[in-house]
Amino acid sequence: MSDTVELPDLANELVSLAHENEQIEVCVSRNRSTTVKAYSGEVESIRSGKSEAVGIRVIVDGQQGFATAGSLDRRVLSQVVEEARGNLQFAESDPHQGVASPDGVDSPDLDLVDPAVLHMSEEQKSSLAIELERRCLSADPRVSSVRTAAWSDGWGEFALASTTGISIYSEGGSCSVGVQPLAVEGNETQIGYAGDAARRPDSLDIDRVVTEAVEGATGMLGATKPISERLTVVLEPGVAAAFLGTIAGALTGDRVIKGRSPFAERLGEQVGASMLTLFDDPTNIDSLGADNHDGEGLAARKNMIIEKGVLAQFLHNSYTGRRVGVSSTGSAVRGPRSTPSVGVHALCLDPGTGDRDALFEKVVNGIFVRGVNGLHSGVNPVSGDFSVGAYGHKIRDGALAEPFSEATIASTLQRMLLDVVAIGGDFEFLPGGSGMASIAIEDVALSGM
Amino acid sequence: MSMKSDSPLLDRNLVQDTLSEAMSNGGEWAEIFVEDRQSASADFDEARVEAMASSRDLGAGIRVTVGDITGFAHTSDLTTNGLFEAAQAAAAVAKGGSQVKPIVLDGNGLAESSARILPESVSKTRKVELLEQTNDAARAENAAISQVNVRYSEGRRRILVANTDGLFNADDQTRTLLSVNCVATGDQGLQTGRETVGYTVGFELFEEHDVEAMARRAAARAVTKLAARPAPSGQLPVVIERGGGGVLFHEACGHGLEADLVNKGASVFRDRVGELVAAPSVTLVDDGTMGIEWGTVAIDDEGCPTQRNVLIEDGILTDYMWDHLRSRSAGRPASGNGRRQSYQHLPMVRMTNTFVTNGEAEPQDIITDTKNGVYVAQLGGGQVNTATGDFVFGMTEAYLIENGEITVPLREGNLIGNGPEVLQNIEVIGNDFAMGSPGTCGKDGQGVPVGDGQPTLRVAALTIGGTAS
């Protein structure tokens, strides 16, 4: 119904409805996506759809109201404006509340539009999903079946405009594959998972996905429950991303201001090992998290978070920045369906040197953690308590040994940062956008038998 | 875009025409799922209303099956053009023929609301009062409380499901929830305490539930934890307080009893119906009809009425949970467990309210008979690997048991166990059944509201993911 309307025009038109003394910020988006799943050598399902979204913030005298809808129908849009106005009357006035103002920082002007994904036919997507399943089945005789082999792609447009003169537009797409092979030996079944995502179909590393997924399942066959002890844990890059992502969350202005961060009073202090440098860099086009703007329309920029173990700065959006008297760091994150929060776009770790085996060689007694469970249930970013289910391999005398499962690893976020003893040179950009390497952390409690 | 409640969410003729369009490419079966979702929320943080938000979503998902292949397309455009375009996209999986039988819909496509007082009919002022009242009670509980967040949310979800078998069913689901999160500051740092009350009802929720008592419990939990010690590392007996640990069964075996995972060999419970899979005292039920519980729905998202499904009876595995596709291929009735997050998603097998029924033991005796162990008063979420049965769940309020008595509070952490082993290791079940807090169950990227519950019980051994040796 609105496929023909240009999103920036629509956003600016809604902004122009602002009453005197009203600030309005409008986000509008249009997306389409396709997912194809294969099973038993055939297409199992094809799912496609189009979606639209609008989110409008209205602020008067520091009172903020927000409303959102899953449609760009004109009648809906005018209702959303009215609802946002209705909602603001009940919010308490906050002098720091307001939409972002242009800050003079130039956008990195990245060319993120690659239409290759738009030129894929449904047959090509289907045969890729079927091929992914077939290759897992033929990679190892112990692979009995594949729970899911999926292809997904999406294309979206996003526009944001506000009464402070911000008006941005972005467009782009990506594609991804994911596969879960089952390996069976005797009475035992193990499931693996691997996936990849890219802006272009030919950038997907299918070989690697198959190898990792199959090894993830077959490598865990025969896993046993380990003995409880304190040891060094090596987190593979995906697990390192989950751990450091939690840390980055605790270093956002929102948590700090509201007394929900264990690092609130520690700016400029040594919070981590000196080899640890952590930053957010959405200006690096190699990351799928790369973007020209943040969620309030300010230029995306590189931000140091921890530099050689020292807490360099907290991340801010325009609101949290005003609260503490600093500028926004361009760290607003949001979709049209929510108000801007604070977060990272493309969290990166400075890698060490050498390959993963070289990292293992530094570990006398430890474990290599291939995956964790229960990040949402056992990690408290306010107190810093960290306890997650873990599986992977033992490291004995500097080399990978037998698999283990049904265990947990535990410490605190604060201690783990200080206990980093080595960082691998196996840097990679993950499908989620972060740039990570394996990290070794000593004196972590492994709980098993 | 508002719809009168005395007419179906989508006109009956348009539903029929859309289904015909979906079948026009040679499909064997087609379905349309229409959803109108309105929600509103208010956040109270730093002792003030931070923001009120409201949202609206209206759309349809159309599904066509041919053999084992499913085509699905969704749209937010509910005009004839929009629906036909989606129907054709879904129909593309069928590759030929166009035999279309006339579709006769059976039913009126109307539903009664689950709410007595629709939250949208209550003034925002009243909702703000509720937030203030909760905040004040939490802050007054103890001077150590340094931060309080209170969140109110209401959601009304009206659905209409029709398919080429003639089904034309609707449901009108209202859920209302209030949660409070407290931060306490002490010498050793920060601690948190949380409480949530939520039911499949309207604003009448607050006639029956004392939000101030709830706020005080959350505050007390955070303050208690200021003195918490690191949890043990290793295996110990675990007593789980009633209502606190239904999530254990949700993870330990609930997911493994979902027919889609079973059919693909991704469950440790495959081919085990009729076998003793748990201690003989364990009876596990999934029941979507259960009063006003969080996972209650009149019909599932495939239009099938929900029912009480006994999954494990006296320790013996009696049945799995089923949706349309899986029950059709198995040649048996569905069980009302086909659910989806929204009109943009394909349904799959999901739990509703999952619980273990009462045993005979006195809860105090269960504690007294435990020489040394861990007492878990509140569990957080959990996660399971259904292929191996390994599952974790978080403890957000727990204590040591020493010589049969509950003693010092413990810091947070995950527990880990293996589903089939833990089910066999349930030593004793209390007579004090209670349902737990409202939850959101995630599977393959889709979240749906679920409930769980259990009486106080003891597991002979679970691995506690702490740091104390």
Side-chain angles (χ1 to χ4, degrees), chain B residues 37 42 57 59 106 115 119 182 190 203 234 255 288 290-291 302 325 367 370 384 393 410 443 468:
Chain B
R37 188 194 289 262
D57 281 277
D106 180 24
C182 299
L190 310 175
F203 210 77
H255 280 296
M290 201 178 181
E302 302 183 299
L325 279 186
I367 299 163
T370 308
V384 64
F393 57 96
L410 299 175
K443 177 177 172 183

Side-chain angles (χ1 to χ4, degrees), chain B residues 238-254:
Chain B
V238 174
V239 177
I240 302 174
E241 186 173 300
R242 68 182 196 137
V247 68
L248 181 144
F249 294 95
H250 180 104
E251 304 297 350
C253 58

Side-chain angles (χ1 to χ4, degrees), chain A residues 77-415:
Chain A
L77 293 174
S78 50
Q79 271 182 11
V80 172
V81 175
E82 285 316 309
E83 287 203 17
R85 282 184 177 135
N87 285 331
L88 79 83
Q89 298 160 29
F90 296 89
E92 216 141 308
S93 179
D94 178 344
H96 303 293
Q97 199 52 266
V99 306
S101 297
D103 61 1
V105 178
D106 289 331
S107 123
D109 207 18
L110 306 172
D111 181 9
L112 300 167
V113 184
D114 190 330
V117 70
L118 295 173
H119 301 141
M120 297 265 296
S121 69
E122 211 144 86
E123 284 70 29
Q124 286 175 302
K125 298 171 190 178
S126 300
S127 41
L128 258 161
I130 292 168
E131 177 70 3
L132 193 58
E133 185 198 35
R134 192 196 61 73
R135 288 190 54 189
C136 286
L137 286 168
S138 59
D140 190 301
R142 293 170 293 177
V143 175
S144 60
S145 62
V146 174
R147 190 199 153 205
T148 319
W151 161 277
S152 294
D153 63 76
W155 188 266
E157 291 179 85
F158 175 87
L160 180 150
S162 75
T163 45
T164 52
I166 287 175
S167 179
I168 60 145
Y169 171 76
S170 64
E171 182 182 21
S174 66
C175 52
S176 64
V177 290
V179 66
Q180 289 177 292
L182 291 158
V184 176
E185 201 164 54
N187 288 329
E188 186 186 359
T189 303
Q190 292 285 350
I191 191 163
Y193 172 79
D196 195 13
R199 285 190 198 92
R200 293 178 58 84
D202 55 12
S203 303
L204 292 171
D205 192 343
I206 306 285
D207 292 344
R208 184 176 163 176
V209 168
V210 170
T211 307
E212 275 187 15
V214 170
E215 282 181 7
T218 58
M220 289 303 294
L221 286 167
T224 53
K225 201 173 172 72
I227 305 283
S228 302
E229 60 181 318
R230 282 187 174 274
L231 40 61
T232 298
V233 302
V234 178
L235 308 180
E236 66 104 45
V239 179
F243 162 59
L244 293 172
T246 305
I247 297 284
L251 299 176
T252 57
D254 190 60
R255 297 267 186 82
V256 170
I257 290 167
K258 292 177 178 169
R260 294 196 177 94
S261 172
F263 300 100
E265 310 292 331
R266 307 204 51 201
L267 211 55
E269 290 181 25
Q270 190 83 29
V271 297
S274 58
M275 72 188 71
L276 188 70
T277 292
L278 193 66
F279 55 97
D280 183 34
D281 189 7
T283 70
N284 185 339
I285 199 160
D286 294 335
S287 163
L288 266 189
D291 211 337
N292 285 313
H293 299 97
D294 81 343
E296 291 183 296
L298 297 179
R301 59 204 80 175
K302 180 176 174 177
N303 286 304
M304 292 310 294
I305 301 172
I306 294 173
E307 196 163 8
K308 296 189 169 124
V310 175
L311 181 51
Q313 66 173 337
F314 297 120
L315 299 174
H316 289 287
N317 61 17
S318 65
Y319 170 76
T320 65
R322 279 192 288 265
R323 279 282 299 268
V324 296
V326 302
S327 303
S328 167
T329 56
S331 303
V333 290
R334 61 101 65 91
R337 308 303 302 263
S338 63
T339 55
S341 57
V342 193
V344 292
H345 305 271
L347 185 67
C348 285
L349 174 70
D350 256 357
T353 53
D355 61 10
R356 199 171 286 170
D357 286 335
L359 187 62
F360 295 151
E361 280 166 21
K362 296 175 187 166
V363 180
V364 178
N365 178 37
I367 52 171
F368 177 52
V369 179
R370 302 177 75 145
V372 292
N373 291 308
L375 276 162
H376 62 302
S377 57
V379 181
N380 185 329
V382 179
S383 67
D385 286 330
F386 181 94
S387 164
V388 295
Y391 58 90
H393 288 263
K394 293 283 288 184
I395 304 172
R396 201 167 283 120
D397 300 326
L400 273 195
E402 74 280 3
F404 74 91
S405 64
E406 209 196 324
T408 62
I409 51 172
S411 181
T412 64
L413 296 173
Q414 297 94 316
R415 278 203 55 178

